[in-house]
Amino acid sequence: MHTPDLDRLDVAILACLQSDARTIAESIGAKVGLSAAAVQRRIKRLRETGVIEREVAVLSPQALGLSMTFVVMVEMERENLAVLDGFRRQVLADDNVQQCYYVTGNADFVLVVTCRDMADFEVFTRRMFFDNPNVRHFTTSVAMDRVKTGLTLPLDPLTGG
């Protein structure tokens, strides 16, 4: 996908939306020096070109009783496309998996997983790893503290700042 050329106004709009996606065009326009209609046109273009992938609500795991986070390194039995694609599909379908990365090194995948408790995580490991003959090995680390989470991206390099 071709990334559109972003000017300083696009970057400023993205910064506002990345901070709070509910910010209305009038407020953004006042901050960046554009009319609400111009802001709306730019946001529409940023969505259409894929710069803005989605707009979501960020939920509190603690408030929902999902108090445990695990980082899991997964090594597949074989590294062929069918096995990798099958595992990707399995991960995409599982709501406990918050993030998944296909990586280099000793593991094939790194997962960030959220569960209610250890019993919930055990159920997760059974369905994701033990019931999957293509998983050779997995190693788990339990997160002791949620220091930083989020999907905000650094925008300074785009403006040369």
Side-chain angles (χ1 to χ4, degrees), residues 17-33:
L17 292 174
Q18 192 167 240
S19 171
D20 182 356
R22 295 185 319 162
T23 306
I24 61 173
E26 289 80 9
S27 296
I28 295 172
K31 288 181 184 176
V32 303

Side-chain angles (χ1 to χ4, degrees), residues 34-103:
L34 288 173
S35 69
V39 169
Q40 289 170 333
R41 281 192 301 275
R42 284 174 178 258
I43 291 172
K44 181 178 183 218
R45 180 179 52 84
L46 293 166
R47 287 179 182 133
E48 289 172 349
T49 58
V51 173
I52 298 174
E53 288 183 347
R54 295 185 306 155
E55 296 164 67
V56 299
V58 178
L59 308 179
S60 166
Q62 292 289 86
L64 298 170
L66 297 164
S67 59
M68 298 197 74
T69 300
F70 305 87
V71 178
V72 186
M73 309 289 282
V74 182
E75 183 182 347
M76 304 308 289
E77 192 63 49
R78 295 172 298 288
E79 194 166 343
N80 69 46
L81 287 179
V83 168
L84 297 176
D85 288 345
F87 189 73
R88 284 183 178 108
R89 282 190 301 278
Q90 187 181 5
V91 163
L92 287 167
D94 197 296
D95 289 340
N96 288 97
V97 179
Q98 299 302 296
Q99 297 177 48
C100 174
Y101 301 93
Y102 177 50
V103 297

